[in-house]
Amino acid sequence: MPIRDLGYRPYEGERLPPSHNMAVLLRHGLRRAWGSWLVKIAAFLGWVPTVVALALLGLRYVMEQRGAQVGALDAGQALHTLTLFQLWPFITMVTLGAGAGVISRDLTHRAFQFYFSKPVTPTQYLVGRTSAVAIWCFFLIWLPSLITVVVLVGTAPAELRLERLGLMLPATLDAALIAAVCATASVGISSLSRSRAFSMSAWLVLLFVPHVLAQIVFAVGDWPWLRLASIPALLSIVGEALYRIEPDSALRWYHALPVLAGVMAGAITLAMNRLRHTQVIS
Amino acid sequence: MSPVQKPADSDVYVRAVRLTKWYGKVTALSDLSLHLEPGIWGLLGPNGSGKTTFLSLVAGQLKPSLGEVQVAGERPFANPNVLRRIGLCPEADALYDELTGLELVSALAELSGYPRAQARERAAQALDEFGLTSAMERKSGGYSRGMRQRVKLAQAIVHDPDVLLLDEPLTGTDPTSRAVILESVKRRASEGAIVLFSTHVLPEIEALTDRVLLIARGQLVAKGEVHEIRELLEEHPHHVRVECDRPRELAAALMQVAGIVGVHFPGDSAAVFQTRDPDATYAAVCRVAVEGAFDVHSLTSPDASLEALFHYLVERSAHMAGTGSDAAVGSALPSPFAGAAKTSAAAGESSAP
């Protein structure tokens, strides 16, 4: 049957500008991320540390109410610890499932022949893809922090409530920094190869190997500077500064931030270079 | 964000000037020049001849190594203005298995600038056009090869492109689907689009259009209407096959006819004449058959078909490759820029990927 008989008419309405593409790719990326079982596991199990933290806070509150002697609570330290519990297992899982294989997967699926035959630029593609991973990471850290802050405020004496409410700012900044760095670096790594196995392995190596080495060197020789090669350690150092926690070494946030900026810049350059030079060959 | 209107259709054309593409040491396309106007163009060539490379260059997915390609006056590579006017159905069987056909085509329609609701509506219409109404909500991982092919076609047309590039679009499709696809292609061409249709199924391209581009060994071997290309190949005589009761007597009577340069007898009841003037030969066969009271069973031209032309031109290209005669042949014939009715013939010495 001719299509016109089915009611088809050429579209003569408005068409949105190409900048709209980033939002489309972001939405598509969020859905694709949810398709990863690693992301699903992280989204469900990611609440476990929060539940444990809330239980401990509740227990502490009950003990205080009953007149038991408990030490002063360092709310900043508690939030920072919770963030680290989120970062190590769950952000690793999200970046592994949704970030570290994203470009290599599109390469192996030959998806670029669809994307780049539409008016999609490499920049839009990269921003859309990275934002999707970053949003997953951000909420996986920020939401638990938000709930914990609410409980901390609710269980605090009146004179401490405003101070504890103020922790939302460092919590938000910390979540944003972790999300931006981990999403950008993992997506950048994913452009290294058409092989998802390779890019995901490379991301795991980048996360864990320098960190383990740095911790060993610091423990044995009390030399903290190898931590500059560890992304989680750098994020932790900046997090400590945000929560005003006394650092355990000579490394400060102003050492860590430039390195993290360099990691992000390098990852973006790597991915853009790959995308700009990608010529789709069917 | 201010909305933008779809550009007018009137300025659509595809133009290639000395277009060359190589991958490392392998030359996929060499020195190709042409100008295509709206209508259906059959893109023919053997495997590895450079058809897909040419389509990818027009689609802006490859950057030319030398020369340039333009669509409506602009280079397509990384150019959103041009890309939203192009629809590409790639050859490779590549879909996201976890997405439904509707989700994939909707997302790609949105990337062409349609608001979400319109994109979904158009995607549903496009899938409906190719007979995927009942399957569009299913995940494409469960689609047959023909269904996947139709999803690729739907995403290629979902944004009403002015230039539709179809790389082997009939692969894996059943006869009913083929008829639907060909109908859609014809309709779009009649509405002013340029359709470049790459295929190995020659009878179907013959039914679709008589305008062809033939690429062999990375070079444009011929461009134009089939019969015009055929007429240009004067050094290759036409064959006229006559099946009758006394073929040798018929041959003896016809050997004096101007244009006939040879005859052979594939059996006891047939004669095949080689002629440089097929019209005069047909007339002479009829006249002699009547005068001599021959019992003629059939009168055919076995090499008038596209398939015969295809094989002949490809063989000719292979024969002439590297002989040094390429340039002479190419320059002696009309320029491909002279328009759709003009034809060209050339042979290349570059190797295909």
Side-chain angles (χ1 to χ4, degrees):
Chain A
M1 181 182 287
I3 191 168
R4 285 190 186 284
D5 295 343
L6 297 168
Y8 174 83
R9 295 288 182 278
Y11 180 76
E12 291 174 353
E14 293 173 344
R15 285 171 75 165
L16 299 169
S19 54
H20 167 73
N21 290 341
M22 274 188 276
V24 178
L25 286 163
L26 167 60
R27 191 153 30 83
H28 188 223
L30 288 172
R31 289 201 58 188
R32 275 187 58 199
W34 183 243
S36 160
W37 59 271
L38 281 168
V39 175
K40 283 189 179 120
I41 290 175
F44 288 114
L45 295 186
W47 292 102
V48 171
T50 311
V51 170
V52 172
L54 295 181
L56 289 175
L57 286 173
L59 184 65
R60 180 189 174 87
Y61 180 70
V62 170
M63 289 171 68
E64 276 179 348
Q65 295 299 308
R66 290 181 178 175
Q69 287 294 320
V70 289
L73 174 67
D74 185 343
Q77 179 67 60
L79 277 173
H80 180 59
T81 305
L82 177 64
T83 300
L84 291 181
F85 272 111
Q86 296 295 112
L87 171 66
W88 273 111
F90 303 117
I91 296 302
T92 301
M93 288 165 88
V94 168
T95 50
L96 204 57
V102 66
I103 293 179
S104 52
R105 186 160 182 267
D106 278 348
L107 282 167
T108 48
H109 269 67
R110 295 174 173 177
F112 287 167
Q113 63 190 345
F114 294 118
Y115 290 126
F116 294 139
S117 68
K118 308 294 178 194
V120 176
T121 63
T123 306
Q124 289 169 349
Y125 171 85
L126 188 61
V127 171
R129 283 278 181 261
T130 309
S131 305
V133 184
I135 283 173
W136 273 105
C137 293
F138 177 79
F139 281 105
L140 211 53
I141 291 182
W142 186 75
L143 277 180
S145 299
L146 172 69
I147 293 166
T148 310
V149 168
V150 169
V151 172
L152 282 169
V153 170
T155 57
E159 67 273 15
L160 281 178
R161 284 184 180 166
L162 195 60
E163 183 188 324
R164 288 192 177 174
L165 191 62
L167 288 171
M168 269 321 297
L169 180 62
T172 304
L173 289 175
D174 200 20
L177 180 72
I178 291 170
V181 171
C182 290
T184 309
S186 63
V187 172
I189 289 286
S190 79
S191 69
L192 279 177
S193 167
R194 284 178 177 268
S195 162
R196 279 181 83 200
F198 176 86
S199 59
M200 290 165 80
S201 306
W203 174 237
L204 279 180
V205 167
L206 185 68
L207 271 185
F208 284 93
V209 173
H211 188 76
V212 171
L213 288 176
Q215 291 302 94
I216 291 170
V217 169
F218 183 60
V220 172
D222 201 24
W223 193 72
W225 298 100
L226 197 57
R227 285 179 171 178
L228 288 173
S230 161
I231 292 174
L234 293 169
L235 290 169
S236 177
I237 289 163
V238 177
E240 285 173 352
L242 285 168
Y243 288 114
R244 297 168 191 268
I245 298 167
E246 190 62 31
D248 62 353
S249 73
L251 270 174
R252 294 290 184 271
W253 65 270
Y254 46 82
H255 297 124
L257 264 186
V259 180
L260 289 173
V263 168
M264 288 178 68
I268 291 168
T269 306
L270 189 68
M272 283 304 293
N273 190 53
R274 175 76 180 200
L275 292 172
R276 286 202 174 116
H277 289 90
T278 290
Q279 298 189 61
V280 183
I281 303 166
S282 298
Chain B
M1 293 195 301
S2 62
V4 292
Q5 293 292 328
K6 183 185 176 186
D9 292 351
S10 56
D11 59 343
V12 62
Y13 65 86
V14 173
R15 180 186 175 96
V17 181
R18 309 207 70 168
L19 187 60
T20 302
K21 179 67 189 176
W22 58 73
Y23 307 108
K25 292 180 178 176
V26 178
T27 304
L29 208 62
S30 176
D31 209 23
L32 186 147
S33 297
L34 53 75
H35 183 101
L36 301 180
E37 289 161 354
I40 303 173
W41 292 87
L43 182 59
L44 306 173
N47 288 332
S49 59
K51 300 190 299 296
T52 297
T53 297
F54 176 61
L55 289 177
S56 299
L57 285 160
V58 176
Q61 301 207 329
L62 295 177
K63 196 173 185 179
S65 304
L66 281 177
E68 68 171 1
V69 61
Q70 293 182 352
V71 175
E74 292 187 67
R75 295 176 184 180
F77 187 77
N79 184 343
N81 290 334
V82 178
L83 292 178
R84 64 171 45 196
R85 305 183 68 174
I86 294 174
L88 172 69
C89 174
E91 183 185 10
D93 183 29
L95 298 176
Y96 290 117
D97 289 350
E98 72 274 20
L99 295 181
T100 67
L102 185 60
E103 286 170 343
L104 178 70
V105 179
S106 296
L108 293 170
E110 281 191 75
L111 291 177
S112 294
Y114 293 100
R116 198 172 175 184
Q118 271 100 347
R120 192 173 172 85
E121 185 185 337
R122 293 183 65 84
Q125 286 172 344
L127 290 161
D128 189 42
E129 178 172 349
F130 291 111
L132 290 168
T133 314
S134 58
M136 66 173 73
E137 300 279 7
R138 277 167 39 200
K139 293 196 172 175
S140 55
Y143 286 177
S144 68
R145 192 173 178 198
M147 291 165 81
R148 295 166 77 86
Q149 193 69 24
R150 284 181 278 157
V151 171
K152 288 194 297 178
L153 280 159
Q155 66 80 30
I157 61 147
V158 71
H159 55 296
D160 263 349
D162 298 322
V163 178
L164 188 54
L165 307 169
L166 308 176
D167 198 358
E168 304 281 356
L170 301 176
T171 306
T173 55
D174 58 40
T176 310
S177 303
R178 287 182 183 213
V180 171
I181 291 168
L182 296 179
E183 173 63 28
S184 173
V185 167
K186 280 182 189 171
R187 186 179 61 74
R188 284 174 193 283
S190 71
E191 288 173 355
I194 295 176
V195 180
L196 256 170
F197 193 107
S198 159
T199 183
H200 292 298
V201 187
L202 298 181
E204 273 158 353
I205 201 72
E206 212 167 7
L208 195 62
T209 181
D210 61 354
R211 294 198 292 182
V212 296
L213 301 172
L214 203 152
I215 296 177
R217 296 169 184 274
Q219 291 200 324
L220 184 65
V221 174
K223 168 181 174 281
E225 297 193 7
V226 174
H227 70 92
E228 288 178 331
I229 297 170
R230 189 68 187 78
E231 283 167 7
L232 272 177
L233 299 169
E234 289 179 355
E235 76 274 28
H236 180 63
H238 291 249
H239 291 84
V240 175
R241 180 186 173 98
V242 184
E243 290 188 19
C244 63
D245 54 345
R246 290 165 284 141
R248 291 179 186 278
E249 283 182 40
L250 180 71
L254 285 171
M255 285 312 291
Q256 302 305 316
V257 173
I260 292 181
V261 295
V263 63
H264 69 274
F265 303 96
D268 292 338
S269 61
V272 176
F273 297 93
Q274 292 180 3
T275 175
R276 295 195 187 284
D277 188 351
D279 290 342
T281 303
Y282 290 134
V285 168
C286 294
R287 179 173 46 77
V288 170
V290 171
E291 288 172 357
F294 288 92
D295 186 8
V296 176
H297 305 302
S298 70
L299 176 60
T300 56
S301 178
D303 58 0
S305 70
L306 183 57
E307 188 159 358
L309 181 63
F310 175 84
H311 289 304
Y312 172 66
L313 285 171
V314 170
E315 277 175 26
R316 181 175 177 270
S317 161
H319 176 70
M320 295 179 73
T323 61
S325 59
D326 309 11
V329 173
S331 60
L333 291 167
S335 161
F337 283 91
K342 300 294 184 185
T343 57
S344 68
E349 57 188 9
S350 57
S351 57

